[in-house]
Amino acid sequence: MNWEQLLSLKRQGDKGKRLRVEQDDTRLGFEVDYDRIIFSSAFRSLQDKTQVIPLSKTDFVHTRLTHSLEVSVVGRSLGRLVGKKIIAKYPHLKEVHGYHMNDFGAIVAAASLAHDIGNPPFGHSGEKAIGEYFSIGNGQKYKDQLTAKEWQDLIDFEGNANGFSVLTASRPGIEGGLRISYATLGAFMKYPKESLPKKPTKNIADKKYGFFQTDKAFFQEVAHDMGLIPNKSGEDVGFERHPLAYLVEAADDICYTIIDFEDGMNLGLVSEDFALEYLIKLVKDSIDTSKYKTLETKEDRISYLRALAIGSLISDAVKVFIENEELILQGNFPYALMDKSKYKAQMDDIIKISVEKIYQSREVIEKEIVGYQIIQTLLDKFITAFDNNYNGVASNYDTLILKMLPEKHQLEKDNLYGRLLHICHFISLLTDGNALLFYKTITAAKS
């Protein structure tokens, strides 16, 4: 792979290249990506989607929106720091093509901003609830009518693949979705493969999948245009990662490790003394002890350590990337950056505590159970109505259910896979609160 191709400003529908030297620096294409994402309805819905605590009413707790904004800030820093070193190493990128270090920051920031845009309501349990509706729920009846890969898309419903659809899928009058630059889409594509074969190798790029069968052709177009390296044979489609996808992943890893832990402290799920012991291990080389001792509140102490910890992890992620940049370009770096961090042991310790004290807390478990029930009920009602309507056997109840679909989702789909995926996509874009409201209406619940 080479950086000239990887930094492509091309957008869906373009007939030729967009040259960096011809860009207006006051309205740079990669920054347009950020703007289009932040003004999209799918991004706005993240303000009422779970990061850790579903349906939480406390202002301490991060939503998917605040998490995504924080990941984009960390991603921008990672991109700029890496970009500065890449431009120094390959000066022709600036001298001939006009690229700047801030371009790297803009690409990673935009992709980071969108990294959770396809996640369903109620956190990762939302993905599992959709998948299990098909694998062990009422959706099992559709299996024999789908190809193996179509079926795998549904039983392993994946927020990353759904996010690619959000960013790129066309609808009447809106060709190419948000029309994001190929470089930003490349950085967004953490798992550039289809749902089968499932985890064929230990390569981090094979951990999950990154596109549905409906988006396969355009996904391949993006990958080939940027020169991503194919790593599957026969009819299976998969590629090595775009190098900047490693930075998007690192930004997410850094934020959820540190900030979910901070949420746990603020909620009282993790004791301050216990938490500080773990955070100080990350910042022992940078902490100003005299300043720390002047901080009188728990919130200020945690905030100070959190900022230092994120700074330490950013610096180390950049170091790992630059040391392995040539291997990454060759498609020979099958790891997440933070897996090679000198702080990996400390991060693993924090994640272990977060799992025990936060992710498996009674409040989280109880609300994830509620989320399962809500999502599976909505899937069953809307899929049944949508499919019955297509087959000309819709009941009056089915017709009423379909009238609840927003206008932009009232589309005809000619094949069963398209219909099933369309309803999954609709439900995935609901906020936690709206999903609950739909559920209460359908079940006639009073509270």
Side-chain angles (χ1 to χ4, degrees):
M1 292 182 280
N2 65 79
W3 285 110
E4 294 93 324
Q5 274 186 281
L6 293 166
L7 299 174
S8 174
L9 281 151
K10 186 176 180 179
R11 299 179 186 278
Q12 190 167 350
D14 286 353
K15 301 302 182 184
K17 290 185 176 182
R18 293 179 185 238
L19 302 179
R20 176 62 179 89
V21 291
E22 296 176 354
Q23 287 278 301
D24 179 354
D25 280 335
T26 66
R27 187 68 173 151
L28 180 63
F30 303 132
E31 293 170 348
V32 171
D33 293 341
Y34 192 96
D35 298 348
R36 289 181 176 180
I37 293 163
I38 210 164
F39 281 105
S40 68
S41 59
F43 183 77
R44 286 197 303 276
S45 75
L46 299 180
Q47 67 185 304
D48 185 27
K49 281 190 175 179
T50 297
Q51 172 61 16
V52 180
I53 310 293
L55 298 171
S56 179
K57 299 304 180 186
T58 171
D59 60 2
F60 279 128
V61 174
H62 286 78
T63 64
R64 288 278 182 193
L65 184 136
T66 49
H67 168 72
S68 296
L69 289 169
E70 288 166 346
V71 174
S72 76
V73 170
V74 172
R76 183 182 62 209
S77 295
L78 286 167
R80 285 181 177 179
L81 290 166
V82 163
K84 183 178 181 179
K85 294 180 181 294
I86 296 297
I87 294 292
K89 183 174 181 180
Y90 306 105
H92 71 281
L93 289 174
K94 181 176 182 179
E95 295 166 0
V96 176
H97 300 285
Y99 289 105
H100 297 271
M101 74 173 190
N102 284 357
D103 295 345
F104 292 78
I107 293 166
V108 180
S112 297
L113 188 72
H115 84 282
D116 273 349
I117 205 167
N119 280 40
F122 310 111
H124 289 295
S125 68
E127 290 175 309
K128 294 184 177 70
I130 293 173
E132 290 183 4
Y133 171 77
F134 294 101
S135 63
I136 59 176
N138 289 345
Q140 292 179 81
K141 62 188 175 187
Y142 300 112
K143 180 179 180 179
D144 292 341
Q145 303 172 64
L146 303 174
T147 69
K149 289 176 180 178
E150 289 172 345
W151 182 243
Q152 197 68 35
D153 285 356
L154 296 172
I155 65 173
D156 269 343
F157 188 83
E158 174 55 52
N160 288 283
N162 197 46
F164 187 79
S165 273
V166 169
L167 297 176
T168 66
S170 299
R171 65 177 192 268
I174 309 292
E175 298 302 319
L178 299 184
R179 294 194 71 236
I180 302 299
S181 72
Y182 285 11
T184 296
L185 288 176
F188 173 84
M189 290 153 39
K190 290 195 295 184
Y191 309 108
K193 66 177 289 291
E194 56 191 337
S195 56
L196 287 177
K198 184 175 180 178
K199 295 184 180 179
T201 72
K202 292 183 178 180
N203 186 337
I204 189 66
D206 284 340
K207 181 180 177 182
K208 299 180 182 179
Y209 71 96
F211 61 90
F212 298 129
Q213 291 302 298
T214 49
D215 303 313
K216 184 174 181 176
F218 181 60
F219 192 98
Q220 290 176 284
E221 177 186 322
V222 173
H224 288 307
D225 184 83
M226 290 189 296
L228 301 190
I229 300 171
N231 61 9
K232 301 291 181 290
S233 59
E235 296 183 355
D236 297 327
V237 174
F239 298 86
E240 297 298 339
R241 278 181 168 177
H242 188 294
L244 298 184
Y246 288 93
L247 299 182
V248 173
E249 179 180 56
D252 188 25
D253 289 347
I254 290 168
C255 285
Y256 81 70
T257 300
I258 302 302
I259 296 172
D260 287 1
F261 196 53
E262 181 183 16
D263 277 352
M265 287 182 264
N266 284 323
L267 287 168
L269 298 173
V270 179
S271 71
E272 181 183 3
D273 290 344
F274 197 54
L276 296 182
E277 175 188 344
Y278 281 85
L279 283 177
I280 285 172
K281 292 178 182 178
L282 285 172
V283 302
K284 63 180 186 298
D285 295 332
S286 56
I287 189 170
D288 182 338
T289 306
S290 59
K291 178 179 179 178
Y292 181 73
K293 288 178 179 177
T294 67
L295 302 174
E296 296 183 356
T297 69
K298 177 175 78 169
E299 182 179 355
D300 287 341
R301 289 190 291 272
I302 292 170
S303 178
Y304 176 64
L305 292 178
R306 180 247 298 144
L308 289 181
I310 289 175
S312 296
L313 294 173
I314 286 173
S315 296
D316 194 56
V318 171
K319 180 174 181 290
V320 174
F321 184 96
I322 294 301
E323 287 176 349
N324 294 281
E325 183 252 354
E326 292 181 13
L327 288 176
I328 290 170
L329 289 177
Q330 295 164 11
N332 290 323
F333 190 76
Y335 317 100
L337 292 181
M338 303 320 292
D339 285 344
K340 295 299 179 181
S341 169
K342 70 178 181 181
Y343 298 111
K344 185 178 187 304
Q346 290 88 337
M347 291 180 72
D348 286 347
D349 286 343
I350 289 173
I351 291 170
K352 182 179 179 182
I353 296 300
S354 294
V355 169
E356 293 173 359
K357 302 291 186 180
I358 306 170
Y359 306 145
Q360 295 178 356
S361 69
R362 186 175 182 86
E363 181 181 6
V364 170
I365 290 171
E366 287 176 350
K367 290 180 178 176
E368 285 189 347
I369 290 171
V370 172
Y372 255 86
Q373 181 67 26
I374 290 171
I375 286 177
Q376 297 208 342
T377 299
L378 296 183
L379 279 173
D380 202 43
K381 297 299 184 184
F382 280 102
I383 283 175
T384 300
F386 200 58
D387 203 42
N388 284 349
N389 184 64
Y390 175 81
N391 291 313
V393 294
S395 67
N396 185 55
Y397 180 75
D398 292 333
T399 302
L400 291 171
I401 288 289
L402 291 179
K403 286 181 178 179
M404 297 176 68
L405 277 176
E407 185 179 12
K408 70 178 181 179
H409 292 287
Q410 293 180 4
L411 304 174
E412 293 184 3
K413 297 290 179 179
D414 291 334
N415 65 79
L416 176 62
Y417 170 70
R419 294 194 293 278
L420 297 174
L421 196 60
H422 181 66
I423 295 301
C424 291
H425 184 69
F426 156 64
I427 289 171
S428 75
L429 294 179
L430 293 175
T431 66
D432 292 11
N434 275 339
L436 179 58
L437 286 175
F438 271 108
Y439 175 77
K440 285 180 177 179
T441 300
I442 286 173
T443 60
K446 295 182 180 179
S447 62

